[in-house]
Amino acid sequence: MKILISGASGLIGTALIRTLSEAGHEVNRLVRRAPNSAGERQWSPAVGHLDPASFDGVEVVVNLSGAGIGDRRWTDKRRREIVDSRLDTTRLLARTMAALDEPPHTFVSQSAIGYYGNRGGEVLNESSDPGSVDDFLTKLTIDWEEAADPAVEAGLRVVYPRTGLVLASGTQLLGRLVPLFKAGIGGPIGDGNQWWSWITLRDEVAALVSLIEGDLSGPVNLVAPNPVRNREFVKALGELLRRPTIFRVPRLAIRAAMGPEMADELSLSSTRVVPKRLAESGFTFADPTIDVALRSLLAPDRTAQPATA
């Protein structure tokens, strides 16, 4: 197929393009700068510019655009960047496709498990209600999915991959935690009881490929089948690195470091999500448990390779 991708230079986009290209698909990329290759198409979501010719022959559009959620404190300016980078891009893509005489048949528009909010130990699947709209991430995710409505109304197959915490070597979470654990000062965050719903990068990419090539529509949770409490995540990481995990990070300390709202909705939030629809579709996870996942990412003699779907 011919596939057009936004957010192509990010962690997920880079891995996805490699996998799709190896599988024989033709992949074009939307870029904000001047194109420097035949596979690039320029656009400017901030001013609403997207040439309809970018969709010539395109069968599937994958929208991965969005400023990082956890890489900076949530100042008012940063919250605006997080919102605009998702809503402006999604609306522009959806509106442009809806106006085409021959639009792509599929729109895979990234979403996140922030949709469900802080829900304690409640097991959440795609039919679960959203969390409180008073929470920044829940409100953002609801609006993010609704931004694709023009594509739905135009008859495209629209999929919302609600992605969990993506684990990959050297990325934000593991890049921060591993050095602390190797120094022997790792431990649970807060009381450690909060549920973390995660997925490895290779399973994330393989799941996206299955959505691109399959027939599912609507929300699909992209998380591993075995979410864990923070204390279980910490224990598995400590055992793999052969380091103690006794230095608990107090709730007050993490809220002071990240800011109260950001800490409460990211590190301290409890969201126990399961991949019901993905499992029912027959998808097989390479990394179904946290032990297998961390070993594949961090063990010195690991043999696991990046996903090739």
Side-chain angles (χ1 to χ4, degrees):
M1 290 185 287
K2 187 174 182 179
I3 301 169
L4 182 66
I5 297 182
S6 71
S9 62
L11 173 71
I12 297 172
T14 300
L16 178 61
I17 287 174
R18 180 174 61 247
T19 297
L20 290 171
S21 298
E22 290 173 353
H25 298 296
E26 178 185 348
V27 182
N28 288 344
R29 301 174 297 281
L30 287 170
V31 298
R32 290 173 172 81
R33 53 171 171 74
N36 57 24
S37 73
E40 294 183 343
R41 306 287 182 269
Q42 189 174 25
W43 72 329
S44 180
V47 299
H49 171 71
L50 175 56
D51 187 350
S54 300
F55 297 92
D56 288 351
V58 171
E59 298 169 74
V60 177
V61 173
V62 181
N63 176 26
L64 301 174
S65 295
I69 292 289
D71 52 356
R72 301 182 202 170
R73 286 178 70 104
W74 288 355
T75 62
D76 289 343
K77 179 181 177 181
R78 185 57 177 172
R79 277 194 289 266
R80 190 73 259 159
E81 291 172 345
I82 290 170
V83 171
D84 290 347
S85 65
R86 285 163 174 77
L87 302 193
D88 289 351
T89 54
T90 306
R91 287 170 179 154
L92 180 56
L93 286 166
R95 287 198 308 264
T96 306
M97 287 188 289
L100 296 173
D101 292 333
E102 296 183 12
H105 58 70
T106 295
F107 184 31
V108 179
S109 190
Q110 184 70 289
S111 184
I113 62 169
Y115 176 91
Y116 303 107
N118 186 358
R119 305 286 279 274
E122 180 183 358
V123 178
L124 303 162
N125 61 43
E126 291 87 351
S127 64
S128 300
D129 292 333
S132 170
V133 293
D134 291 333
D135 291 342
F136 173 64
L137 292 181
T138 297
K139 178 65 164 57
L140 167 65
T141 312
I142 292 172
D143 291 345
W144 195 6
E145 294 184 6
E146 289 180 351
D149 282 353
V152 176
E153 294 163 2
L156 279 72
R157 178 176 72 95
V158 179
V159 193
Y160 312 101
R162 291 177 180 165
T163 295
L165 178 64
V166 178
L167 301 181
S169 299
T171 50
Q172 192 174 75
L173 177 67
L174 293 180
R176 290 175 177 175
L177 289 182
V178 169
L180 294 176
F181 277 68
K182 285 184 175 180
I185 54 175
I189 297 174
D191 61 14
N193 287 328
Q194 65 272 31
W195 287 91
W196 280 10
S197 298
W198 56 274
I199 187 170
T200 58
L201 178 60
R202 64 173 173 172
D203 277 338
E204 170 79 7
V205 169
L208 286 171
V209 172
S210 76
L211 296 181
I212 290 168
E213 298 178 340
D215 58 6
L216 290 177
S217 62
V220 181
N221 293 333
L222 265 56
V223 292
N226 296 287
V228 293
R229 294 185 186 274
N230 171 255
R231 64 170 180 264
E232 296 165 341
F233 182 99
V234 164
K235 179 182 178 183
L237 183 57
E239 289 178 350
L240 179 64
L241 298 176
R242 299 180 182 178
R243 294 293 189 274
T245 56
I246 59 175
F247 291 92
R248 186 181 301 275
V249 181
R251 181 183 181 90
L252 289 176
I254 196 70
R255 293 183 92 230
M258 299 176 69
E261 182 184 24
M262 185 175 177
D264 289 349
E265 293 197 37
L266 290 180
S267 298
L268 298 170
S269 182
S270 184
T271 312
R272 187 181 183 182
V273 182
V274 294
K276 184 175 184 289
R277 299 192 68 205
L278 200 58
E280 290 174 347
S281 74
F283 182 82
T284 301
F285 287 88
D287 303 305
T289 67
I290 196 62
D291 292 329
V292 170
L294 292 176
R295 193 178 307 117
S296 74
L297 294 170
L298 300 174
D301 60 345
R302 63 181 183 271
T303 58
Q305 299 297 318
T308 57

